[in-house]
Amino acid sequence: MSSATLESPVAADAAGTNRWYLSTAPIVRALVHLCVPMAAAMIVTAVYNLVNAGFIGMLHDTALLAALTYGAPILGLVMAVGNVFGVGGGALVSRLLGAAEHDPAKAGGIRHVASFSVWGSVIVGAVAGGLGLALLDPLVSLLGADAAAVPATKAYVGVMLAFVPVLAAAVCLEQLVRSEGAARQVMTGLIASTVANLAFDVLFILVLHWGVAGAALAMGLANVGVIAYFATWLHRNSEHLRIAPHWFTLARTVVAPVLGVGVGTLLQSAFLIVTSLVLNNLAAAYGDGPLAAMGVAVRIAQIPEFLVMGVTLGVLPLLAYAYGKGDRQRLTAALRGSAITVGGIAVTFSAIVFLLREQVFTAFVADRSVLTTGLTILTAQLVAMVANGFTGLLTSLFQATGRAVAATVMSMTQGILFVPVVLLGNLWFGLPGIIWALTVTEVTVLLAGVVLWLASRRAIDRGLAEGSPERAEQALEAA
């Protein structure tokens, strides 16, 4: 690890530092600093997923590729465990950093938040991984693996479960490092992890022929490197974040806000898995064509979706910092700037794809019978992506301001609504009902989010007043 990567600490509020981007940098520069690296890291991760499947495909064994698909829900839940502590802890850290501008004593609680988040993810990850290994056989059956894919699925899931504490801690640390505005360091860590993962893939899969177990081992070892990088960076550069076990606490002031916000991400991941299973099973009844078209449309729509997610996730520390500081003007400017960016990305990409829809789709599928269905699915996916972008932004606002109930409702609404919408859509309209079910759900969730935002404005305003001594004094005088 070079000295250029792990710099010596400088004045926390100096121009160009991570804290400066959160506190006083122009909004456009702050958004670029926080969001562009996040989007880049997500796109690199998506490319890795394709390359990783390609390595397994080189073994010419469909059972191995099937094992990756069957194991995907477990990986999603593992990441969700890390995000329970990482998203909740990261949002609280950013709020405390903002509050510390007026009350330096607030920064003293950050080390307790960081330690609880990291070790909480390790402990819960160890328990979840241990239970999964103890119940490995029924778990593989629950995932739906057929007889031919059972051995490979057991190997893949088994190794992954052994690394659950590592994977969860890596995801949590990523969020904590981002909470201080260190987006470029997060991007560096994630891209380095992806490169290491690919190197391990070559060794374990192509050289040692360990198959999907080698893929899971490669992922686990790469995340050990992520933990080492982030922990070292925090130790050398962070003024407040400490993850040593002796800072661990179960104080209500730490546990409640961390888990209150974080649990919503776990519920969202669980619902996404359920909705995916329901959607695939319903679409399968109409043959391989619609399923193939759906797969292509989803991959095309993923590009702008990842860019939008880079904005909605990247802006969270900025929103939380401004809220903790009581800076209404900066909070509003950050929200407005990110909303314009989300809308710009969504509309621009959608317009380009719509104008070139046939050329884009035929690059993936040559079958003309699939093309018509695919274009309809792609249109529905793009409209859903636009709504989902603004929904994600509202969710980040609720998480940043500690509105745990609103954040949880947003996370649950999509899963709760989608299943009845897609079942009724299939019953009433057939395949078109399935295609447009996600779009209808996303638009409905966005409308619900707007209602929650309007209902939360007074509470957010009170929180802003508490974060700013001047505004608090004005509020008392007005009362």
Side-chain angles (χ1 to χ4, degrees), residues 82-460:
N83 277 323
V84 167
F85 294 92
V87 172
L92 181 55
V93 166
S94 294
R95 289 200 299 274
L96 290 173
L97 282 172
E101 287 207 18
H102 300 300
D103 182 4
K106 294 284 188 181
I110 292 176
R111 62 195 64 182
H112 296 295
V113 175
S115 184
F116 167 75
S117 299
V118 171
W119 292 105
S121 67
V122 170
I123 293 168
V124 173
V127 171
L131 287 174
L133 287 171
L135 302 171
L136 185 57
D137 288 331
L139 180 60
V140 169
S141 298
L142 182 65
L143 292 172
D146 56 30
V150 165
T153 305
K154 284 181 65 175
Y156 180 62
V157 173
V159 176
M160 191 192 309
L161 288 170
F163 278 98
V164 170
V166 170
L167 298 173
V171 171
C172 179
L173 278 167
E174 171 198 334
Q175 303 289 349
L176 291 176
V177 172
R178 270 203 312 123
S179 71
E180 286 200 318
R184 283 180 294 189
Q185 286 75 17
V186 170
M187 179 183 70
T188 300
L190 294 180
I191 292 177
S193 169
T194 300
V195 173
N197 208 329
L198 291 173
F200 284 133
D201 275 344
V202 172
L203 174 62
F204 297 149
I205 298 173
L206 301 183
V207 177
L208 298 178
H209 304 291
W210 289 353
V212 287
L217 180 60
M219 179 172 55
L221 293 178
N223 277 276
V224 170
V226 168
I227 292 175
Y229 172 79
F230 286 148
T232 304
W233 188 88
L234 288 174
H235 176 72
R236 294 187 182 180
N237 296 275
S238 178
E239 183 181 356
H240 303 293
L241 282 171
R242 297 290 180 268
I243 59 175
H246 66 267
W247 294 115
F248 182 88
T249 181
L250 292 175
R252 187 179 182 281
T253 52
V254 171
V255 176
V258 170
L259 297 185
V261 169
V263 165
T265 63
L266 178 64
L267 294 174
Q268 185 177 36
S269 297
F271 280 127
L272 284 175
I273 292 169
V274 172
T275 56
S276 178
L277 292 173
V278 171
L279 181 62
N280 288 342
N281 278 287
L282 290 176
Y286 293 91
D288 292 336
L291 271 177
M294 196 170 293
V296 172
V298 167
R299 281 166 175 76
I300 294 172
Q302 269 184 345
I303 298 172
E305 186 176 352
F306 281 142
L307 293 175
V308 166
M309 287 178 66
V311 177
T312 59
L313 295 176
V315 76
L316 196 157
L318 180 59
L319 297 174
Y321 190 98
Y323 179 76
K325 183 182 176 181
D327 191 339
R328 168 186 284 280
Q329 183 178 359
R330 191 164 180 79
L331 178 70
T332 303
L335 195 60
R336 184 190 304 115
S338 51
I340 292 172
T341 304
V342 166
I345 292 171
V347 172
T348 301
F349 190 91
S350 297
I352 292 172
V353 172
F354 185 77
L355 291 173
L356 303 174
R357 55 192 180 279
E358 290 201 23
Q359 294 91 327
V360 170
F361 212 89
T362 51
F364 293 89
V365 178
D367 189 343
R368 300 294 300 183
S369 64
V370 176
L371 180 60
T372 303
T373 303
L375 292 176
T376 303
I377 295 173
L378 181 57
T379 302
Q381 289 281 336
L382 290 173
V383 175
M385 180 268 298
V386 175
N388 183 256
F390 289 106
T391 298
L393 187 57
L394 285 172
T395 302
S396 288
L397 174 65
F398 295 143
Q399 291 171 338
T401 56
R403 310 265 74 81
V405 174
T408 302
V409 169
M410 289 293 286
S411 299
M412 294 176 62
T413 303
Q414 184 190 49
I416 292 174
L417 281 179
F418 179 78
V419 174
V421 168
V422 75
L423 290 175
L424 291 174
N426 181 48
L427 179 64
W428 293 340
F429 305 106
L431 181 59
I434 295 175
I435 291 172
W436 288 97
L438 181 63
T439 308
V440 172
T441 302
E442 292 289 5
V443 172
T444 305
V445 173
L446 175 58
L447 294 175
V450 171
V451 172
L452 285 170
W453 172 59
L454 292 173
S456 302
R457 291 181 72 177
R458 286 189 178 181
I460 292 173

